Amino acid sequence: MSNQIETRCVRGGYTPKNGEPRQIPIYQSTTFRYETSEEMGKLFDLEASGYFYTRLQNPTNDLVAAKITEMEGGAFGMLTSSGQAANFFAVFNICESGDHFLASSSIYGGTYNLFGYTLAKMGIECTFYDNDISDEEMEKLFRPNTKCVFGETISNPTVRVYDIERFAKIAHNHGVPLIVDNTFATPVKCRPIEWGADIVTHSTTKYMDGHASGVGGAIIDSGNFDWAAHADKFPGLTTPDESYHGLVYTEKFGKGAFITKATSQLMRDFGAIQSPQNAYYLNIGLESLHVRMDRHCENALKVAKFLEESDKVAWIQYPDLASDPDNTMAKKYLPGGSCGVMCFGVKGGREACLKFMSDLKLVSIVTHVADAQTCLLHPASHTHRQMSEEELLAAGVKPDLIRLSIGLENADDIIEDIKKGLDNVR
């Protein structure tokens, strides 16, 4: 397979043989038949590869996961039911009660709640850090029971660019992996593994699907992190799993240990599988991802420049703008453009923002982001409404912040609708 991302988007993960379907087939079956009990038993003991129940694995899902793995330059991958499930599995696969991990405070509000509240109920503590933290202050946050570092390539909704290489180096100095959520950038614009990330996650619901048709997530393992070299930190991977007759994942599966454990243990017990139908839709979206991402970025830069010049706009954050504080970082990690998402504030504060949104016609107010249609929301009123004012500010979410996701419509039409909305703000 070609190393070029365009070819991987279209042809990665699946090469049909003579007479086989050109498109990835939908294996819409919960169950798979075997002729002997022994054959089935080998699957349950992880002694053979194959499928027996879609709650764990499905051929359609695995073919699509293989494509995303190729696109990210990883070694192993799996699909999950959502991006939330992907981030949960990625962390929970190496953390257990009594453990600790570090996560950027500039992450999606749902992930913030998952890490800060739900995992805390399971005995796993998360310490949040600012993306601009110094190396010295970051070093102080590590504990003997710290198991990983987490960040987003481009943060949702604050569109901050994450310094992957720097945080990977710090994580590795402490013998733990870096997990990066690459949803907004996609592997078309950035491949975190090339900058030192060990695990990459996605909400495939966003740009990868591209049309708001199916919820899903993905986890990609680079295969680069040596779990056995830090065996005391990762007993779940390096000591016997009694639910599989004492099998040790690192001994049995080597570099495939992380994804195998996440599939055979976590997917077995939680069942957060992506439906084969959604995986099929996802693959269709992936085939045009490279084309769509370029247009998203092109349209977004035009809109961002308009907003930057508007006297009704208090501030704007979009890393492709020369004036953005993360522009230098974007040129390093995202030289071909970042994404179609930006955030800005309307002069007049929260009430002015709500007034602006109520007068839009083309731009939709929806919870979603990063698809073909231009849309926006007000995080303080929507996705982050469970967070206190202090938590909002700590996450970089100002009360007047509007997240704007630029779609594939004509850029002038998008700008005209936004202009009318701004003109109605007094």
Side-chain angles (χ1 to χ4, degrees):
M1 179 58 63
S2 168
N3 287 326
Q4 300 302 316
I5 190 64
E6 297 87 352
T7 303
R8 292 188 182 194
C9 286
V10 179
R11 305 292 288 272
Y14 175 62
T15 303
K17 297 183 178 66
N18 187 47
E20 290 186 341
R22 181 169 179 262
Q23 185 58 273
I24 288 177
I26 305 170
Y27 289 84
Q28 194 64 49
S29 179
T30 62
T31 343
F32 301 82
R33 178 183 176 272
Y34 288 87
E35 294 182 355
T36 69
S37 173
E38 287 76 16
E39 287 179 292
M40 182 73 80
K42 288 180 180 179
L43 295 173
F44 276 91
D45 286 342
L46 304 184
E47 292 295 333
S49 61
Y51 304 92
F52 52 87
Y53 198 50
T54 286
R55 192 182 79 230
L56 282 84
Q57 281 180 289
N58 178 281
T60 304
N61 292 24
D62 283 356
L63 290 170
V64 179
K67 172 178 282 191
I68 299 173
T69 300
E70 284 189 27
M71 291 166 62
E72 284 287 7
F76 306 90
M78 65 186 292
L79 298 188
T80 62
S81 59
S82 66
Q84 281 287 86
N87 285 334
F88 170 63
F89 276 19
V91 172
F92 195 64
N93 204 34
I94 52 178
C95 289
E96 54 189 55
S97 182
D99 284 342
H100 168 259
F101 71 105
L102 301 170
S104 166
S105 59
S106 297
I107 56 176
Y108 168 58
T111 310
Y112 189 101
N113 289 333
L114 168 67
F115 290 172
Y117 296 99
T118 302
L119 284 181
K121 294 177 182 177
M122 304 171 77
I124 300 170
E125 183 182 356
C126 178
T127 298
F128 294 98
Y129 61 89
D130 189 282
N131 281 4
D132 296 324
I133 190 172
S134 68
D135 288 3
E136 294 73 23
E137 290 301 313
M138 185 71 179
E139 297 278 354
K140 295 176 183 177
L141 299 181
F142 284 84
R143 307 173 188 174
N145 62 339
T146 300
K147 298 302 174 69
C148 64
V149 178
F150 182 94
E152 293 178 351
T153 307
I154 304 172
S155 64
N156 178 9
T158 55
V159 291
R160 295 295 312 278
V161 180
Y162 189 68
D163 195 344
I164 302 169
E165 189 172 38
R166 180 167 79 97
F167 287 108
K169 189 175 299 183
I170 294 172
H172 295 160
N173 286 342
H174 290 268
V176 302
L178 175 66
I179 303 173
V180 174
D181 184 328
N182 197 35
T183 296
F184 275 5
T186 80
V188 171
K189 296 302 178 184
C190 180
R191 286 177 287 280
I193 290 171
E194 296 176 358
W195 297 100
D198 301 288
I199 308 293
V200 175
T201 62
H202 285 277
S203 170
T204 63
T205 319
K206 310 304 190 298
Y207 285 125
M208 284 187 163
D209 174 283
H211 303 86
S213 59
V215 176
I219 307 173
I220 308 301
D221 180 10
S222 68
N224 294 332
F225 192 83
D226 191 344
W227 307 102
H230 308 281
D232 58 324
K233 282 185 174 290
F234 307 105
L237 288 162
T238 61
T239 61
D241 180 354
E242 296 308 324
S243 70
Y244 281 109
H245 309 296
L247 175 148
V248 178
Y249 291 99
T250 49
E251 293 178 1
K252 180 74 174 179
F253 300 103
K255 290 186 175 183
F258 182 89
I259 291 295
T260 301
K261 178 177 180 291
T263 301
S264 60
Q265 188 187 87
L266 299 190
M267 196 64 84
R268 175 197 66 189
D269 295 345
F270 291 98
I273 193 79
Q274 186 170 152
S275 77
Q277 190 74 43
N278 280 7
Y280 176 83
Y281 295 146
L282 168 58
N283 186 60
I284 292 175
L286 291 173
E287 289 184 348
S288 64
L289 181 63
H290 57 293
V291 180
R292 291 185 288 106
M293 287 305 295
D294 284 347
R295 178 55 64 88
H296 281 297
C297 291
E298 178 185 330
N299 279 357
L301 186 57
K302 291 179 181 178
V303 174
K305 288 180 177 178
F306 163 77
L307 291 172
E308 186 179 38
E309 296 171 0
S310 172
D311 59 3
K312 297 290 184 71
V313 174
W315 58 271
I316 179 171
Q317 287 178 214
Y318 183 61
D320 293 357
L321 286 173
S323 60
D324 192 272
D326 282 353
N327 184 248
T328 300
M329 196 87 71
K331 287 179 178 177
K332 174 179 178 178
Y333 293 111
L334 304 149
S338 58
C339 65
V341 183
M342 65 192 68
C343 60
F344 68 98
V346 178
K347 289 181 179 178
R350 184 182 293 224
E351 292 304 315
C353 291
L354 298 179
K355 172 61 177 171
F356 159 71
M357 291 191 294
S358 69
D359 288 318
L360 298 171
K361 298 295 185 290
L362 176 69
V363 182
S364 306
I365 302 173
V366 299
T367 307
H368 205 231
V369 65
D371 65 35
Q373 299 187 27
T374 298
C375 57
L376 53 66
L377 58 66
H378 183 238
S381 300
H382 305 140
T383 54
H384 290 58
R385 67 180 298 117
Q386 287 81 16
M387 296 170 66
S388 67
E389 288 289 327
E390 291 76 18
E391 288 172 332
L392 284 170
L393 292 173
V397 180
K398 302 173 184 177
D400 64 345
L401 184 151
I402 292 174
R403 184 185 70 187
L404 176 62
S405 176
I406 303 301
L408 303 178
E409 306 93 342
N410 180 277
D412 292 336
D413 289 341
I414 299 170
I415 291 170
E416 180 62 24
D417 193 50
I418 293 171
K419 183 179 185 301
K420 288 180 180 177
L422 290 172
D423 287 344
N424 287 328
V425 176
R426 299 288 183 264

